[in-house]
Amino acid sequence: MIRFDNVSKKYKDGTVAVKSLNLEIQAGEFFVIIGPSGCGKTTMLKMINRLIQLSEGTLFINGKRISDYDIHELRWNIGYVLQQIALFPHMSIQENISVVPELRGWSKEKINKRVDELLDMVGLDPGTYRGRKPKELSGGQQQRIGVIRALAADPEIILMDEPFSALDPISREKLQDDLYDLQRNIKKTIVFVTHDMKEALKLGDRICIMNGGEIVQVGTPEDLLQHP
Ligand code: ADP
Ligand code: ADP
């Protein structure tokens, strides 16, 4: 589904963020990238949705080079969830979730139905929350909206960059549990960045350990626990 073929990234100032990555992420897989700050995790995500360009190598999605995709087609097919909650403050929850489906030209009816379905999926009553503004929600609730907004137009791939790290431990565990259940139901390909090994072991089908821009080890949680 996502394949890194000898991919490197060197930023303009000369920083080599990732070096000669070879990696294949399967369709429907919950794939976790873990490693210390600065090891290249965010760079990997940003290359997948073409927020930054590769310096060397090739990145494929479904067998097609990402450079050969129309940029809108590519981005529509990829949801992105960031650490900082980036909901539009002046817009209601309903409007926030509707942004991408509207860009894609979905009918009002289809969008409204989708919004309610997504709110239900994460345990927020649509009647209560649809019309609220982001600031009328708790941090954990806002982060839930961030997650379902990325799912709204039914992308094949969801990139998540430390989505829960700003939350208190209890909300964090609850959201991890919810995301785990959600992914097992919807079977999307998730690439999830964290620096928390407990989170990685709990969520990942496979975990990729990075250090200094290079892959140290890739394996299932069981593999990693047996051969640390
Ligand atoms: P943009 O301005 O489009 O966000 P940048 O290249 O300036 O693009 O930054 C991309 C991301 O990388 C930002 O999150 C930024 O904070 C971070 N960043 C920029 N320069 C550095 C750097 N030298 N070291 C670490 N992170 C950086
Ligand atoms: P992580 O997500 O693992 O913290 P990043 O991918 O953000 O790591 O950064 C990898 C390396 O690239 C770091 O050394 C960082 O300082 C550097 N870096 C990130 N963004 C930029 C940028 N826009 N310009 C220059 N260096 C950057």
Side-chain angles (χ1 to χ4, degrees):
M1 149 118 297
I2 304 172
R3 187 155 71 88
F4 287 79
D5 188 357
N6 222 16
V7 170
S8 300
K9 173 65 189 179
K10 188 178 187 176
Y11 285 103
K12 279 194 218 77
D13 68 356
T15 307
V16 178
V18 295
K19 283 190 276 269
S20 311
L21 297 181
N22 287 296
L23 180 67
E24 196 160 350
I25 299 171
Q26 309 299 331
E29 186 169 39
F30 200 128
F31 193 86
V32 177
I33 302 172
I34 186 166
S37 183
C39 72
K41 304 182 297 295
T42 300
T43 298
M44 288 172 74
L45 291 190
K46 287 181 175 173
M47 289 192 295
I48 295 172
N49 68 355
R50 263 171 62 188
L51 281 174
I52 56 175
Q53 290 192 325
L54 321 191
S55 306
E56 274 173 47
T58 318
L59 229 168
F60 297 91
I61 292 183
N62 289 329
K64 181 167 158 181
R65 294 161 182 264
I66 55 163
S67 51
D68 290 342
Y69 278 88
D70 171 71
I71 189 73
H72 301 293
E73 182 197 352
L74 183 78
R75 297 262 172 84
W76 282 347
N77 217 359
I78 301 179
Y80 196 21
V81 185
L82 295 161
Q83 176 181 355
Q84 296 92 349
I85 305 152
L87 300 177
F88 300 112
H90 58 290
M91 284 162 49
S92 69
I93 297 307
Q94 157 111 20
E95 290 164 339
N96 265 283
I97 301 171
S98 305
V99 172
V100 177
E102 272 172 8
L103 284 172
R104 298 193 64 167
W106 289 21
S107 70
K108 263 258 153 330
E109 206 175 29
K110 184 173 173 188
I111 294 174
N112 292 344
K113 190 162 160 268
R114 181 68 176 150
V115 168
D116 288 1
E117 177 184 288
L118 288 163
L119 286 168
D120 274 332
M121 229 189 250
V122 292
L124 294 171
D125 173 53
T128 310
Y129 290 98
R130 216 191 274 128
R132 290 200 184 176
K133 292 281 165 59
K135 67 169 190 306
E136 297 168 309
L137 271 63
S138 72
Q141 289 171 336
Q142 290 184 42
Q143 207 64 27
R144 286 189 154 71
I145 302 300
V147 172
I148 61 175
R149 186 176 61 171
L151 295 172
D154 212 23
E156 269 188 83
I157 298 169
I158 301 139
L159 308 177
M160 307 185 93
D161 199 345
E162 307 205 26
F164 306 144
S165 58
L167 299 176
D168 64 274
I170 292 169
S171 308
R172 185 174 181 154
E173 261 193 42
K174 178 76 176 75
L175 253 74
Q176 288 169 347
D177 292 342
D178 287 355
L179 181 65
Y180 183 91
D181 293 340
L182 190 66
Q183 201 272 344
R184 268 64 184 176
N185 285 324
I186 59 174
K187 291 278 189 316
K188 300 287 179 187
T189 308
I190 296 187
V191 187
F192 186 103
V193 161
T194 184
H195 55 249
D196 176 355
M197 185 51 97
K198 211 176 132 214
E199 185 169 73
L201 292 170
K202 178 170 167 180
L203 293 174
D205 291 318
R206 281 193 304 153
I207 298 165
C208 170
I209 302 178
M210 300 282 301
N211 196 18
E214 294 182 287
I215 296 172
V216 179
Q217 195 179 1
V218 182
T220 62
E222 294 73 30
D223 292 339
L224 300 189
L225 291 170
Q226 279 161 24
H227 312 280

